[in-house]
Amino acid sequence: MLLFFTLGLFVHFVFFASIFDIYFTSPLVHGMTPRFTSLPPPARRLVLFVADGLRADTLYELDENGNSRAPFIRNIIMHEGSWGISHTHVPTESRPGHVALIAGFYEDVSAVAKGWKENPVEFDSVFNESKYTWSWGSPDILPMFAKGASGDHVYTYSYDAHREDFGADDATKLDTWVFDNVKEFFHSARNNQSLFAKINEEKIVFFLHLLGIDTNGHAHRPSSREYKDNIKIVDDGVKEIVSMFKDFYENDEKTTFIFTSDHGMTDWGSHGAGHPSETLTPLVTWGAGIKYPQKVSAQQFDDDFLKEWGLEKWKRRDVNQADIAPLMASLVGVPFPLNSVGILPMDYLNNTDLFKAESIFTNAVQILEQFKVKMTQKKETTLPFLFIPFKLLSDTKQMNILRKARSYMEQGEFDEAISLCKELIHLALKGLSYYHTYDRFFLATNVVIGFVGWTVYASLLIIKSHSRLTRCISKEVKKPSHLLPYFVAVGTLVAFFLLIQACPWTYYVYCLMPVPIWYAVLREFQVIQDLIASLLTFSLSHFIGYLLVFMLGIEILILSFFYRCMLTAGLTAFAVWPFLTQLWTRAKITSLSWTFFCLLLAVFPLMPVVGRKPDISLVMAAGLLVLLLSLFVVTSLMKRKISFGKEELLIYLLQMINIVLSMYVVYSTNSSLLKKKGLPLVNQIVSWATLASSLIVPLLSSPVLFQRLFSILLSLMSTYLLLSTGYEALFPLVLSCLMFIWIYMEQETLQRSGIFSKQKLTSVQFSYNTDISQFRQLYLDDIRRAFFLVFFLVTAFFGTGNIASINSFDLASVYCFLTVFSPFMMGALMMWKILIPFVLVMCAFEAVQLTTQLSSKSNFSS
């Protein structure tokens, strides 16, 4: 059995790892040649302003008095430049957004392993292709572009990471620091001949990363005065920088300015997913090579933003975020970033038709080269007779389109040339996606075959060891050991097939694992025969009924991943369960308690996702309820004169004091942050001490089942309170109450069946080590028990939010522990918050196994 579980862990680890190997591989390729147009660019220098976390609507809309929050930017839109919306892609995080802006491709998903801070695969960028780039801003963003640059021409100036404090009194200092340092830089350049010469070169870039808006959005929400005031400060800073550039370069009209954002932000102060408030960011450009404002009578868009913003008369030019990189490259005359998939937005360019056609032609060739490299790589690792090329873009078609486009340009038919280039770009992008996902179906199929095989094998072992189904037929069938040579041959052929294609070693794991698994399945042929024979003894109506119930349960579980309300439907159905059986007649109080807590828990999936409506009073209420429950339990245990020594009493008292401390820390931290005094050091120390003690104190409590479970609840609740911002603080308390009732309900179920007599929870110990599977076999009701476990686990994960969505995480949850930005530490704390309800369910399930006299191994496996 130990070998079986060890193999199970390995198999599930492989299946989990396959997700990253199949869906999270880097799309980047190398070996392309830099491409740029030979025509003189309109600008000698480019200034890029990125207001981190700035929403398009908050910038463009007018305030309650009909005034713009950013008067300088709005004046640019109306009198000097072009504007629009930049559409970002998921994940809407700072690093992916900047990569799209500056490198022209949507985030290499393999960078998730680096916390979006560092790319495991090198990539090209506009900064790298420039002659010089100077950048000011966050230490989380600037270094990744300097690190990947060839040579020493990308200079970074960052403030200390500790300045990125969500509890700081004034986050606008992050932006004023940037503006002040840029001014100081140009002032010092006048007295530094070497630096003065560099900043007067052509093909140079200045990058100003402004983090204050994002920090204020996380700390105070985008609707706050702090967020909106920060926009005005940024607007004033941009105005001063633009004026300084004009003075420094004596109005030579060779500077292009671009103002945009890396991502937006939800109303509740988070980002990462695909909500329009996160994906719609502003884009305002002006200066050399940029079109002037164009008044129009009507514009066709699928939204009503133009009227809301009062900008319906000025032409709006929307782009995809990655399109900004080729736009910048074209404006200053540097090669397009090698890994860019952006399409040059020519509607922004104020230049000749020849320049536009040459630029889009260069763009097409640059993307086509990526397609060719990707195709060559895949062709070299695939057998010729198995290789299926991308039929929409053959070599002949590539040459024809390029030849026709060049011919049109020579004849002065630039519109036709541009149209052909755009067609080539779209085909090349489709081809890139085709070759990037070329092996996805093959690998996914092998993983599915292996997973199905393992599921079948585990089920057969459970049936064989823990049920009577296989004993109804005494006929013995010899194990098909003669199949071994065939499976060895299949494995050898698969390995040889992968070897001659020079496949990665992970391909061997995914493709060879199903072979021994299915061999093990066929070795249990006798069990399969017995199972089929046993199923045939069921009446058709019973079999169809059980099948429909099983399918309905599975469907509810699947739908709950997409619609949280399905959890409510499932819990409501659970509430009726005692009334459909004889449990109601035997244990009325327990049944009513079960129904009450099922319905109470069913309310949580109907409530807004955690963090959107913070309410500290609910956290305080949850803490108070835990204290009252603790007093009731301790008093009851003492009155019943159960083995309850001074040590147990002292542990409970310490845990109750911890609950009080957690309530105080939450309240005082919230009050301190509202006053912009930051996170008190004492609160931070108490929080971390509480977290550490919550993992140790339960182990010191009595091994008696009820007392151990309650000790675990108190310890975990003290931590959960520190990680809560609203109603979710009540969730683990209600869930735990339901779990205690579940334990009693399962006892009543087996007692009604006459399988065993009811045990008191105060007499069962967690340290009970005997293999109790010898006392009884699995029954049909154990399948229902296993389904309850899975459903409660799903409820624990999704009951207060959707963990699959990044924007469901509220950074305010960790403010009792730290307020300085630290993605890994904050992520770990939020993950522990998600796991706490999971731990409570698993502890309750183990108690169910003990009290129902069934080995947890068999039921958990099922």
Side-chain angles (χ1 to χ4, degrees):
M1 187 59 73
L2 178 61
L3 178 61
F4 170 72
F5 279 98
T6 303
L7 288 174
L9 288 174
F10 173 74
V11 169
H12 281 81
F13 173 78
V14 171
F15 291 149
F16 179 76
S18 69
I19 297 173
F20 297 92
D21 213 21
I22 297 172
Y23 298 101
F24 289 84
T25 52
S26 175
L28 303 185
V29 292
H30 298 87
M32 294 79 69
T33 304
R35 300 283 178 174
F36 61 94
T37 177
S38 59
L39 297 177
R44 291 177 59 87
R45 68 199 70 89
L46 181 140
V47 183
L48 173 63
F49 300 95
V50 177
D52 204 305
L54 176 60
R55 291 165 49 147
D57 57 349
T58 314
L59 176 73
Y60 291 141
E61 69 186 5
L62 302 176
D63 62 19
E64 55 276 5
N65 298 320
N67 300 319
S68 173
R69 297 189 183 93
F72 176 75
I73 296 294
R74 194 172 185 89
N75 181 70
I76 292 293
I77 293 172
M78 295 179 173
H79 300 101
E80 293 188 40
S82 297
W83 76 285
I85 291 178
S86 170
H87 296 264
T88 69
H89 281 209
V90 176
T92 46
E93 296 288 343
S94 290
R95 179 207 148 79
H98 283 88
V99 168
L101 286 170
I102 300 166
F105 67 90
Y106 298 106
E107 180 59 70
D108 174 3
V109 287
S110 63
V112 69
K114 300 287 185 179
W116 306 122
K117 279 191 171 185
E118 184 179 333
N119 201 334
V121 180
E122 289 187 5
F123 62 91
D124 193 23
S125 69
V126 173
F127 293 176
N128 184 45
E129 296 294 352
S130 68
K131 193 163 188 179
Y132 296 107
T133 293
W134 289 270
S135 55
W136 295 265
S138 169
D140 295 325
I141 298 299
L142 306 187
M144 67 181 176
F145 294 104
K147 182 178 179 181
S150 57
D152 185 21
H153 65 282
V154 178
Y155 306 100
T156 62
Y157 303 90
S158 302
Y159 39 74
D160 189 80
H162 291 289
R163 284 176 173 261
E164 299 178 12
D165 190 345
F166 299 114
D169 59 340
D170 186 9
T172 60
K173 291 180 180 178
L174 298 174
D175 297 337
T176 55
W177 183 96
V178 172
F179 294 132
D180 291 343
N181 276 264
V182 173
K183 295 173 189 175
E184 184 180 339
F185 172 83
F186 275 88
H187 178 73
S188 63
R190 295 184 183 276
N191 302 317
N192 186 326
Q193 292 184 356
S194 174
L195 179 59
F196 186 83
K198 285 182 179 180
I199 62 177
N200 276 283
E201 294 274 5
E202 60 181 11
K203 301 181 180 180
I204 60 175
V205 177
F206 299 94
F207 172 42
L208 284 71
H209 176 242
L210 309 168
L211 188 61
I213 293 175
D214 183 74
T215 305
N216 271 318
H218 284 304
H220 307 288
R221 308 292 188 265
S223 59
S224 66
R225 178 181 57 81
E226 290 83 357
Y227 185 88
K228 295 174 180 178
D229 287 349
N230 203 153
I231 295 176
K232 180 64 170 66
I233 290 173
V234 166
D235 184 69
D236 292 339
V238 171
K239 180 180 180 180
E240 292 175 7
I241 296 297
V242 171
S243 176
M244 182 199 69
F245 265 85
K246 289 181 178 179
D247 291 341
F248 189 89
Y249 291 105
E250 299 177 348
N251 291 311
D252 65 351
E253 297 184 348
K254 289 294 182 178
T255 306
T256 302
F257 299 94
I258 295 181
F259 180 88
T260 187
S261 175
D262 54 347
H263 57 75
M265 187 171 288
T266 61
D267 292 339
W268 52 95
S270 65
H271 52 82
H275 191 273
S277 62
E278 301 167 88
T279 60
L280 303 183
T281 60
L283 174 62
V284 182
T285 63
W286 68 99
I290 296 295
K291 276 187 178 179
Y292 290 101
Q294 181 180 348
K295 283 195 173 185
V296 291
S297 56
Q299 301 188 65
Q300 297 298 322
F301 286 96
D302 296 331
D303 52 60
D304 299 323
F305 293 141
L306 288 170
K307 189 175 181 180
E308 294 174 8
W309 300 338
L311 293 171
E312 61 269 26
K313 295 180 181 179
W314 283 269
K315 186 173 182 180
R316 168 178 151 189
R317 301 173 170 93
D318 285 11
V319 301
N320 288 319
Q321 193 173 48
D323 299 342
I324 297 175
L327 174 63
M328 292 191 293
S330 174
L331 288 167
V332 292
V334 301
F336 287 62
L338 296 176
N339 305 112
S340 171
V341 294
I343 303 173
L344 179 65
M346 291 181 297
D347 205 22
Y348 276 82
L349 295 178
N350 181 21
N351 215 313
T352 63
D353 291 339
L354 174 61
F355 181 86
K356 293 179 181 179
E358 284 287 355
S359 296
I360 194 69
F361 183 85
T362 305
N363 191 188
V365 172
Q366 169 259 323
I367 294 177
L368 181 62
E369 281 213 355
Q370 293 182 72
F371 167 79
K372 289 180 177 179
V373 171
K374 198 80 172 178
M375 181 183 67
T376 302
Q377 288 179 352
K378 186 50 59 184
K379 197 171 184 179
E380 289 175 350
T381 58
T382 307
L383 294 174
F385 66 92
L386 292 177
F387 180 71
I388 304 174
F390 182 64
K391 297 178 181 179
L392 296 179
L393 192 57
S394 62
D395 292 343
T396 304
K397 189 167 186 177
Q398 296 172 31
M399 296 303 297
N400 287 339
I401 293 177
L402 290 174
R403 186 168 52 251
K404 281 185 179 180
R406 179 55 68 185
S407 175
Y408 280 135
M409 283 190 285
E410 291 173 353
Q411 297 170 20
E413 299 178 6
F414 300 113
D415 290 339
E416 288 78 2
I418 289 171
S419 178
L420 276 177
C421 289
K422 287 183 176 179
E423 178 189 353
L424 179 59
I425 288 173
H426 288 295
L427 288 174
L429 290 175
K430 283 185 179 180
L432 272 173
S433 176
Y434 172 79
Y435 286 118
H436 179 60
T437 59
Y438 190 88
D439 291 334
R440 184 170 291 179
F441 179 77
F442 168 71
L443 293 176
T445 301
N446 279 278
V447 170
V448 169
I449 292 172
F451 187 77
V452 170
W454 177 257
T455 303
V456 172
Y457 178 63
S459 302
L460 292 174
L461 283 188
I462 293 167
I463 293 170
K464 179 181 178 181
S465 305
H466 299 284
S467 76
R468 296 192 178 96
L469 291 178
T470 58
R471 298 179 183 180
C472 62
I473 295 180
S474 58
K475 180 181 176 182
E476 293 187 4
V477 178
K478 186 179 180 181
K479 289 185 177 181
S481 57
H482 61 280
L483 293 176
L484 180 59
Y486 296 100
F487 277 89
V488 171
V490 170
T492 304
L493 287 174
V494 170
F496 181 73
F497 173 78
L498 297 173
L499 181 64
I500 59 178
Q501 295 188 101
C503 292
W505 67 270
T506 51
Y507 282 40
Y508 290 84
V509 177
Y510 306 140
C511 297
L512 291 175
M513 183 172 286
V515 177
I517 289 177
W518 279 101
Y519 173 69
V521 170
L522 292 181
R523 279 180 58 85
E524 303 298 335
F525 188 69
Q526 170 70 59
V527 181
I528 298 174
Q529 280 190 325
D530 291 353
L531 177 61
I532 294 173
S534 298
L535 292 176
L536 292 175
T537 62
F538 280 82
S539 65
L540 184 61
S541 59
H542 278 76
F543 180 78
I544 293 176
Y546 286 134
L547 184 62
L548 289 176
V549 171
F550 174 79
M551 291 176 64
L552 178 62
I554 296 298
E555 192 64 28
I556 289 176
L557 282 175
I558 294 173
L559 289 174
S560 66
F561 280 81
F562 305 96
Y563 309 100
R564 292 172 59 217
C565 61
M566 294 308 298
L567 295 174
T568 299
L571 288 167
T572 304
F574 284 5
V576 183
W577 168 54
F579 302 98
L580 301 178
T581 63
Q582 297 180 4
L583 288 173
W584 162 249
T585 59
R586 292 181 58 88
K588 291 185 178 181
I589 296 178
T590 305
S591 297
L592 287 173
S593 300
W594 167 268
T595 301
F596 173 75
F597 282 108
C598 277
L599 294 176
L600 189 57
L601 192 65
V603 174
F604 286 92
L606 299 177
M607 300 181 76
V609 173
V610 169
R612 301 189 182 184
K613 293 183 179 180
D615 190 346
I616 297 301
S617 61
L618 291 176
V619 182
M620 297 295 103
L624 186 60
L625 287 174
V626 173
L627 284 176
L628 293 175
L629 181 62
S630 303
L631 290 172
F632 174 77
V633 170
V634 172
T635 304
S636 299
L637 290 174
M638 294 177 70
K639 283 183 178 180
R640 293 180 184 181
K641 297 180 181 180
I642 298 171
S643 174
F644 193 65
K646 292 182 179 180
E647 293 182 1
E648 287 82 1
L649 179 60
L650 180 61
I651 289 174
Y652 279 132
L653 289 176
L654 287 174
Q655 290 179 312
M656 291 166 67
I657 292 172
N658 235 2
I659 294 291
V660 174
L661 283 174
S662 296
M663 294 171 62
Y664 169 77
V665 168
V666 170
Y667 180 81
S668 62
T669 299
N670 180 67
S671 177
S672 178
L673 293 178
L674 287 177
K675 295 175 182 177
K676 298 184 179 181
K677 294 182 179 180
L679 171 62
L681 180 60
V682 175
N683 290 12
Q684 190 174 22
I685 293 173
V686 171
S687 297
W688 284 105
T690 300
L691 174 61
S693 65
S694 68
L695 304 174
I696 300 172
V697 173
L699 302 177
L700 304 177
S701 64
S702 171
V704 176
L705 189 146
F706 181 83
Q707 297 178 34
R708 176 60 63 87
L709 284 176
F710 195 72
S711 179
I712 292 171
L713 171 61
L714 291 181
S715 287
L716 294 181
M717 273 303 299
S718 62
T719 302
Y720 201 87
L721 289 174
L722 293 170
L723 293 168
S724 298
T725 60
Y727 76 87
E728 81 272 18
L730 297 164
F731 178 74
L733 179 60
V734 176
L735 179 65
S736 297
C737 290
L738 182 60
M739 292 299 98
F740 276 107
I741 302 299
W742 183 33
I743 298 170
Y744 281 105
M745 289 290 287
E746 295 298 353
Q747 280 188 301
E748 294 292 346
T749 302
L750 288 184
Q751 188 179 16
R752 176 178 59 82
S753 305
I755 296 174
F756 80 110
S757 59
K758 183 177 178 180
Q759 292 179 290
K760 291 185 177 181
L761 296 188
T762 52
S763 64
V764 182
Q765 302 215 1
F766 258 125
S767 57
Y768 193 54
N769 294 321
T770 307
D771 184 6
I772 55 179
S773 62
Q774 57 183 309
F775 295 129
R776 77 174 182 89
Q777 298 290 326
L778 278 171
Y779 290 89
L780 195 59
D781 210 31
D782 290 313
I783 298 177
R784 188 264 312 156
R785 208 166 275 119
F787 176 78
F788 273 24
L789 167 68
V790 176
F791 189 89
F792 285 138
L793 288 177
V794 174
T795 303
F797 275 119
F798 296 103
T800 59
N802 179 11
I803 65 167
S805 176
I806 299 176
N807 74 7
S808 290
F809 297 116
D810 182 16
L811 289 178
S813 298
V814 303
Y815 285 172
C816 289
F817 293 87
L818 74 164
T819 54
V820 177
F821 182 64
S822 176
F824 279 112
M825 187 63 70
M826 289 179 165
L829 287 169
M830 288 188 284
M831 189 56 65
W832 179 236
K833 178 183 178 181
I834 292 170
L835 288 175
I836 284 176
F838 173 87
V839 172
L840 293 172
V841 172
M842 290 308 302
C843 289
F845 179 68
E846 181 62 24
V848 167
Q849 306 311 305
L850 289 171
T851 56
T852 57
Q853 297 182 354
L854 177 66
S855 170
S856 59
K857 297 176 181 178
S858 57
N859 210 3
F860 185 73
S861 299
S862 63

